[in-house]
Amino acid sequence: DPTIFEVDPTIWCPNKPIPYSFLAHALSTLTTTRSRIAILNILTNTLRVILKTHPPSLLPSLYILSNTLSPPYESIELGLGYSTVTKAIQHVSGLSSAALKRLYTKTGDPGDVAFEAKSNVRTLIPHPPLLITSVYDSMLKIALAKGQGTAKQKQSIVEKLLVAAKGEEVRFLVRTLFQNLRVGAVRTSILTALARAMVMTLPSSISDTSAINLSHYADEALITAVKELNLTKSGGKKKKVEDAVDPSNILSEKFAAAEALIKRVYVQHPNYGHIARALVEMGLNDLAEHVPLTVGIPLHPTLGSPTRSLDEVYDRLENLAFSAEFKYDGQRAQIHGWKDSSEGPVSVKIFSRHLEDMTDKYPDVVQLVQNSFTADPELQSFIIDTEIVAIDPRNGELRTFQELSNRARKDVQMTEIKIAVCVFAFDLLYLDGQILLQEPFRKRRALLRTRLPPVIPEWKGAARLDHVRSVESEAGREAIEEFWQEAVESRVEGLMVKLLDSGEVLEEPSNKKGRPRRKPLPATYEPDKRTSAWLKLKKDYVTGLGDSLDLVPIGGWHGNGRKVQWWSPVLLALYDPSSGKLVAVCKCMSGFSDVFYKSMKEKYAEGSENCSYQNIWDVETGGLKPHVYFKPQEVWEIRGADVTISPVSVAALGLVSQSRGLSLRFPRFMKVREDKNIEQASIPDFLAGMYRGQQGKREKVEGVDDGD
Ligand code: ATP
C-alpha cells in the first residue's frame, strides 16, 4: 500500500531531523490520486508527523511542498538552468547524452529521467540519508551562489544531492529543482492541511509506530483527539467515547475554525517562516496577534468581480451606496512607507499584484513617498493600494500601459527615468500602526484623502500622487452614466465600482429550486478575495460600443431641475430609406454641455419654424411621444451602451422582431456631424446588424475566463 510509510528506526527517531525520504514518499503518494480529500489527508498526516517529531523540518517542508524557497516578496530564485541539471544527471548516472535524450523523449519529465538514469547506478559506499532540512539548505546554497564559476558550483551541489538520493527521492528532488512537483498541492490545500495538522496532533506513542498511514485519519490519534475534545466539551468530566458527540462533527468545526484562521493570517502576512514559528512555539491560539499584518510585508490584494453593464452593477448592488472609480491602465502597486522612529529614516517598499518586491523599479515613487513623510511630520506609517500609470510629464495626461512597460524592471536609476508616472491611490489599508482592513471603504477612503493628499512636484518628470477619479451613486444614475461615458472616451480601462458601506444584497440561489436569500456584503478590505463589493466594468466587456450611430434630433421634452429651460431629453431618429421617413429610436439626455443646451433651445425655439407642437414633419415615433417636434435638419453622432428590443420603439421593426422595434440604451451625444445630411443618417439595417453583432459578442463574453 503506497500510503503506508515504513519508518526505519536507524535513521529516524523523534527530535532528530526527518529524512527526505519521508517527504519524497508523501509526494509520491500524492501523485497516486487526484481526489481532493485524499490529497488533504496525505498532506495533513505528513505535516502531523513533522510537527510531532521534528518541528524545525516544518518550514523547509512547506517550502518544498509549495515549490518555493522563500516568501514571494523575497524572490529567492534557484536560477538553475536545464543544462546544469542535465549535466549533473549525466555525470552521476554515467549515461551518454544520447541515452539521456532517449529517456527524455520517452518520459518527458526531468524527474522521471533522473529516476530511470539513476536506477542503474550501483552505489558502493552508502551515503548518509538526505534530510528535509539539508535538501532545503542545499537549494538555498544553489540560489545564493554568486560570482565566477557559479554554474559549476551549482552543478556540484546538484550532483551531491543526486548521489545521496535513493529511489523516489531522485524523482522528486529533480522535480523540486525544476520547481515543478506535479502533485496537486496548491496553496489552499497546504494551508488547510497545516490547520488540520495543528488541530489534530499525533499522540505521544508515535515514536513506537513503525508504519504511518498517510491517507487515513482513522488512527489512534483520532480517538485521542476526540477524547480530548469531549473532555473539554464536558467541562473536564470524562465521558465514554461511545456517548461522545460525533467525532467527525467536532473535528469539522475545529478544522473549519483553524483553516479560516490560518488562511486569514497567511493572506495578510504571507510568510511561512513567521507562521510556522508561531504555530510551533505558541500553537493556534492568538496566531493572528502573533503574525499580524505588518508594514513592509505585502498582503494579498482584493480582487474585483467582472460585470457587463451598468444595469448589472445596479442589479447587484441594489440600492446600496457605491463609488464608481476610473479603472486606470497601469500596474497595481501596494506601497508601504514607514519610519521606525519619529526622527528615523523613511523605509519604502513597493509590491506588485503578485507580491513581488518592485521597489527598485520605481526610485521616483520611493522619493515621492519619502517626501510625503517630510511634508507631514505626524505621519508614521501607511500601506496604500494604488495603480501606477504612465503620464505625460508636461500635463499629466494618461499614457498607455505599453509606455509604462517600457520602463526597466530592476535597478532603475533616477537619472535614467524616461517614463514619468502618477500613483493613483485608491485604498488605505494601514495608517500609523492601525490596521484598517475591517473599516468600511468610506472611512478608509476618507482617511486616504485627508492624510495623503495629491502631490504634484515642481520638477515635471518626478512621480505624482493623486486620488483616483470617482463619482458616487448619490449623484444619481445619470451622473454615473456620464462618468462611464467619460471613462469610455478616456485612456482608462473602464470603471471599478466599490461598495462604500457594508450592506446586504439578494443572493442568487445556487439552483432553480433554492429560494433567494439576503446575504451580507461587507465593504471591508478582503485580502485575496474576488469580492462582489468591487465590480469591474471594462470597456471591452460592454457590448455594442464599437460603433457609433448617426441620428437625427426630431423632438424634445421640457427639461427638469437644472435643465428646466432647455430641451431634455431629445428624441433621436434613424433614417429609413425604404419609406423615406425618420423613425424615432431613443431619447438622449447625456453628453451635452450647457452651452450646447442653450444653443439647441435657441435653434429649436418654441413658436419658431423649427419647432412645433404637432407632428408636422411626419416622423414615426411609435410609443415615444415628445412634447414638441423639431424640424429635421441635422445629424448627431451618438454612442450607446447596448442595443435592446423595445416595446415602445418602432425603429427597425420587423428586422429582429415582428412586433417590437430596437432602441439604444444610455445614448450619449458625441458631436454634430456637420458633414452629413439627414438622408445619410444611420438606417434600420445598421441598427439591426449592431444588435446581432452584440448578441454574438455577448456569447463570447459569457465564456470569458476571468482568472482564478
Ligand atoms: P484581477 O486583478 O481582478 O484578477 P486582472 O489582473 O486581469 O484581474 P483587471 O481585471 O483588469 O485585472 O482588474 C483589476 C485591476 O485593475 C487591479 O488589479 C488594478 O491593477 C487595476 N485598477 C485600476 N484602477 C483601479 C481602481 N480604481 N481600483 C482597483 N483596481 C484598479
Side-chain angles (χ1 to χ4, degrees), residues 169-370:
E169 289 178 305
V170 181
R171 193 191 315 273
F172 290 98
L173 189 67
V174 171
R175 287 191 185 168
T176 288
L177 294 176
F178 278 99
Q179 309 247 276
N180 182 11
L181 278 174
R182 300 177 55 198
V183 297
V186 290
R187 187 184 85 208
T188 326
S189 347
I190 296 173
L191 292 173
T192 308
L194 183 59
R196 293 184 177 192
M198 287 301 298
V199 169
M200 226 170 51
T201 48
L202 287 181
S204 46
S205 56
I206 176 68
S207 51
D208 314 326
T209 317
S210 57
I212 295 164
N213 187 329
L214 288 181
S215 71
H216 297 292
Y217 288 128
D219 49 29
E220 60 183 291
L222 175 69
I223 312 285
T224 316
V226 170
K227 268 191 202 157
E228 279 167 13
L229 289 170
N230 280 325
L231 268 181
T232 4
K233 280 224 159 185
S234 55
K237 245 207 262 145
K238 229 180 175 110
K239 263 189 169 188
K240 272 199 236 147
V241 177
E242 297 87 86
D243 328 325
V245 196
D246 179 359
S248 51
N249 278 345
I250 311 172
L251 274 178
S252 52
E253 268 174 39
K254 284 248 167 191
F255 280 169
E259 285 162 30
L261 173 66
I262 288 194
K263 285 178 192 165
R264 194 172 71 240
V265 167
Y266 184 86
V267 295
Q268 294 186 27
H269 191 128
N271 183 311
Y272 280 134
H274 299 169
I275 292 174
R277 185 159 158 197
L279 285 176
V280 168
E281 287 177 5
M282 285 162 289
L284 279 166
N285 289 339
D286 305 327
L287 180 69
E289 284 72 39
H290 295 130
V291 194
L293 185 149
T294 305
V295 67
I297 295 179
L299 61 153
H300 280 264
T302 293
L303 307 172
S305 313
T307 48
R308 287 179 199 93
S309 64
L310 272 177
D311 272 354
E312 189 184 336
V313 167
Y314 275 92
D315 281 352
R316 286 176 69 165
L317 295 181
E318 298 178 7
N319 48 8
L320 299 174
F322 63 75
S323 165
E325 299 177 347
F326 266 0
K327 183 176 184 306
Y328 294 89
D329 193 9
Q331 179 171 33
R332 187 155 188 179
Q334 195 183 99
I335 304 178
H336 296 221
W338 72 101
K339 285 196 288 196
D340 288 323
S341 66
S342 53
E343 305 295 288
V346 177
S347 307
V348 182
K349 285 273 177 202
I350 305 171
F351 301 106
S352 72
R353 147 125 163 64
H354 296 288
L355 316 189
E356 293 110 345
D357 186 340
M358 47 175 194
T359 315
D360 287 351
K361 184 175 171 183
Y362 293 110
D364 46 346
V365 175
V366 171
Q367 178 96 70
L368 173 79
V369 172
Q370 283 169 336

Side-chain angles (χ1 to χ4, degrees), residues 2-3 5 20-33 42 46 65 115 167-169 171-172 175 181-183 214:
T3 64
F5 182 75
Y20 177 65
S21 59
F22 173 64
L23 201 55
H25 181 80
L27 290 168
S28 160
T29 315
L30 282 172
T31 56
T32 61
T33 180
I42 296 164
T46 307
L65 284 169
F115 177 81
E168 285 297 317
E169 289 178 305
R171 193 191 315 273
F172 290 98
R175 287 191 185 168
L181 278 174
R182 300 177 55 198
V183 297
L214 288 181

Side-chain angles (χ1 to χ4, degrees), residues 359-420:
T359 315
D360 287 351
K361 184 175 171 183
Y362 293 110
D364 46 346
V365 175
V366 171
Q367 178 96 70
L368 173 79
V369 172
Q370 283 169 336
N371 292 346
S372 301
F373 280 86
T374 317
D376 178 0
E378 302 280 292
L379 200 57
Q380 282 305 310
S381 53
F382 66 75
I383 303 178
I384 50 176
D385 205 350
T386 75
E387 185 83 354
I388 297 184
V389 187
I391 53 163
D392 183 330
R394 292 164 300 181
N395 51 19
E397 260 178 31
L398 302 177
R399 291 271 173 89
T400 59
F401 173 72
Q402 275 67 29
E403 290 198 47
L404 184 70
S405 54
N406 285 338
R407 252 199 195 214
R409 282 173 189 278
K410 277 197 174 145
D411 306 323
V412 176
Q413 298 301 312
M414 267 306 246
T415 46
E416 289 168 2
I417 293 174
K418 295 208 178 59
I419 316 286

Side-chain angles (χ1 to χ4, degrees), residues 303-304 325-328 332 353 387 426 468 493 496 498 530 534 536 538:
L303 307 172
E325 299 177 347
F326 266 0
K327 183 176 184 306
Y328 294 89
R332 187 155 188 179
R353 147 125 163 64
E387 185 83 354
F426 53 78
V468 293
E493 282 192 310
M496 289 293 292
K498 298 176 184 173
R530 195 171 286 290
W534 275 27
K536 40 188 193 191
K538 292 196 200 180

